[in-house]
Amino acid sequence: MSLSEVCVVGYGLHPPWSEGTRVLTRDQMRALTDHAALDVRGISTIRPGDEPSPEFEMSYARESRLGDLVAALGGYRYNRDAVMFARLAWRVGRHLAREDPDVVHLGFASHSLFALVNDLVGDAAVVAQTFGGVEHGRLLNALDTPSRIDAYVSTTDADLEALEAMGVPSSNCHSLDPPVFLDRFGGVDRSTARAQFGLPEDAFVAGYFGNVNEARFPFEVAAALDAFAADEGVELFVVTKQIEDRDVRDLDNLTVHTGHLTDTEKRAAYAAADVWTFPFRELGVERTPVIDPPLTVLEAMATGRPVIASDTLSMADAVTDGENGFLVTPGVPDPIVERLRALRADPDACDRLGRAARRTIHEQYSPSAVADRLVEIYEIAQTHARD
């Protein structure tokens, strides 16, 4: 069976690429387009008023007013917006009838939708990329989802372990590293970046990038960093899409930027700090991020900045303690402060670790290697579909 065309199906695959799962899906499509001899096309939802992606050949289904209402009421729309999903499924059916791709790569957060779309794909092999949410085991088994998927893929080992616990054969579960494009990070003048975010040009700046909550950025850690900044003249820079728990903006020595960033703004934000911290608590399987290690950690390293990260999740896959950053006890502030103090006193070490961090991304998370891995998974899926 030949492999020449792949159809990627997902939510919100258009600028401003405001969530990690969308960034991951986009960058996987980029990796395949740049490094594999495949025709890569996409089908996605799009909100009214948003601009489609200029990078890929995409077919878009407008989201619905029902979905807008569900979102306004605090619901998770992609599990509940039946109108939107019906539109998306209709597009899938039309595309498959017209193009007949060899592989359909589904990028949903909801596993129950994998089985429903599977009914539309005909002879195409079906690859389902998990982004968390495998806790609905009874529903998946009731829909006979596992047997209808030719290959599962995830950047998070916890997802694959959960699928295997539900009875999915390990041969159908495939791990994948996220691709990181080095040319999209770094190369920004630090002074210019700091001016853009209101940071002093000559200060030592330590940052945190991600959602603010007790799991990812505990208030105890934030308060300790705030006190450290006050005592030693360090600037703290927090970049977050949303503040979910206690408001760190109440602390005196943090510069906090909230809201979505464009790719250009994100590149500048990473460049503005000397070092990035990721002080997660110890997270169990149920709290594992949908991308592990988190994209923010990898992007900070791609910028050429050392990271101080909690030794939890799969952080050690990317961060080697003392070589390209530091691993510390999860959720404990003192080791973070100690590492920041040491890096502030030794700018050469900070630069050396940052160069090593960027080199790690080049060696372990290259788009060409990810494209090769995806092609391998697609071919395995095609073999499963034939059987």
Side-chain angles (χ1 to χ4, degrees), residues 246-262:
R246 293 182 65 178
D247 196 338
V248 296
R249 290 173 295 190
D250 295 335
L251 298 172
D252 293 332
N253 299 288
L254 273 67
T255 297
V256 181
H257 183 281
T258 57
H260 297 303
L261 297 178
T262 65

Side-chain angles (χ1 to χ4, degrees), residues 30-190:
R30 283 176 173 170
L32 288 168
T33 301
D34 292 349
H35 299 285
L38 297 175
D39 181 7
V40 182
R41 307 184 184 195
I43 303 174
S44 170
T45 60
I46 190 169
R47 294 186 301 269
D50 281 344
E51 295 296 323
S53 172
E55 301 176 67
F56 310 108
E57 184 172 340
M58 301 286 296
S59 173
Y60 285 105
R62 292 287 179 182
E63 296 182 19
S64 70
R65 293 180 181 178
L66 174 61
D68 293 338
L69 176 61
V70 170
L73 295 175
Y76 185 58
R77 67 187 306 168
Y78 298 135
N79 283 339
R80 304 178 184 181
D81 185 355
V83 177
M84 179 276 295
F85 181 69
R87 290 176 175 173
L88 190 60
W90 179 69
R91 294 278 176 123
V92 172
R94 287 189 61 195
H95 179 90
L96 294 171
R98 182 175 64 252
E99 304 292 347
D100 192 24
D102 304 301
V103 173
V104 177
H105 186 147
L106 303 175
F108 297 122
S110 174
H111 286 62
S112 59
L113 302 185
F114 291 162
L116 301 178
V117 174
N118 180 273
D119 291 335
L120 301 171
V121 301
D123 295 331
V126 179
V127 174
Q129 181 150 5
T130 68
F131 295 124
V134 297
E135 69 275 9
H136 306 299
R138 291 182 181 176
L139 177 60
L140 302 193
N141 288 325
L143 292 171
D144 196 25
T145 302
S147 68
R148 301 164 77 178
I149 301 300
D150 298 307
Y152 280 101
V153 61
S154 180
T155 59
T156 303
D157 289 342
D159 269 2
L160 300 179
E161 292 167 4
L163 287 167
E164 290 181 29
M166 288 168 43
V168 178
S170 59
S171 59
N172 278 23
C173 298
H174 306 275
S175 62
L176 180 72
D177 288 323
V180 182
F181 289 80
L182 282 177
D183 61 347
R184 293 180 170 88
F185 298 96
V188 177
D189 177 73
R190 193 174 314 210

Side-chain angles (χ1 to χ4, degrees), residues 218-229 236 251 333-334 337:
F219 193 83
E220 177 188 1
V221 174
L225 294 177
D226 181 66
F228 167 67
L236 298 176
L251 298 172
D334 289 349
V337 170

Side-chain angles (χ1 to χ4, degrees), residues 191-378:
S191 297
T192 302
R194 290 186 175 183
Q196 182 174 341
F197 291 96
L199 298 167
E201 181 176 347
D202 298 327
F204 181 82
V205 178
Y208 166 74
F209 203 124
N211 287 356
V212 172
N213 54 47
E214 281 300 306
R216 303 279 188 104
F217 192 56
F219 193 83
E220 177 188 1
V221 174
L225 294 177
D226 181 66
F228 167 67
D231 291 342
E232 304 202 20
V234 170
E235 291 290 326
L236 298 176
F237 180 36
V238 174
V239 182
T240 182
K241 184 172 63 177
Q242 56 186 337
I243 297 175
E244 300 171 359
D245 295 326
R246 293 182 65 178
D247 196 338
V248 296
R249 290 173 295 190
D250 295 335
L251 298 172
D252 293 332
N253 299 288
L254 273 67
T255 297
V256 181
H257 183 281
T258 57
H260 297 303
L261 297 178
T262 65
D263 284 351
T264 301
E265 291 169 336
K266 182 166 67 172
R267 185 175 189 169
Y270 281 121
D274 295 288
V275 58
W276 288 91
T277 65
F278 298 92
F280 293 6
R281 293 192 185 278
E282 184 69 61
L283 302 181
V285 171
E286 72 280 357
R287 300 298 298 272
T288 300
V290 296
I291 304 169
D292 179 26
L295 272 183
T296 48
V297 175
L298 304 181
E299 291 171 347
M301 295 174 69
T303 304
R305 302 292 188 264
V307 300
I308 302 172
S310 295
D311 191 5
T312 185
L313 307 172
S314 299
M315 293 291 194
D317 290 350
V319 182
T320 302
D321 189 52
E323 293 187 14
N324 59 9
F326 295 104
L327 294 171
V328 297
T329 304
V332 179
D334 289 349
I336 301 171
V337 170
E338 291 171 8
R339 302 303 189 278
L340 287 174
R341 185 177 287 117
L343 290 175
R344 184 191 181 209
D346 192 349
D348 290 341
C350 195
D351 290 342
R352 183 180 68 253
L353 291 168
R355 291 193 299 272
R358 186 171 169 88
R359 187 164 56 250
T360 296
I361 299 303
H362 171 71
E363 294 172 352
Q364 294 183 207
Y365 299 93
S366 72
S368 60
V370 173
D372 290 344
R373 175 64 173 149
L374 279 169
V375 170
E376 178 187 5
I377 293 169
Y378 293 158

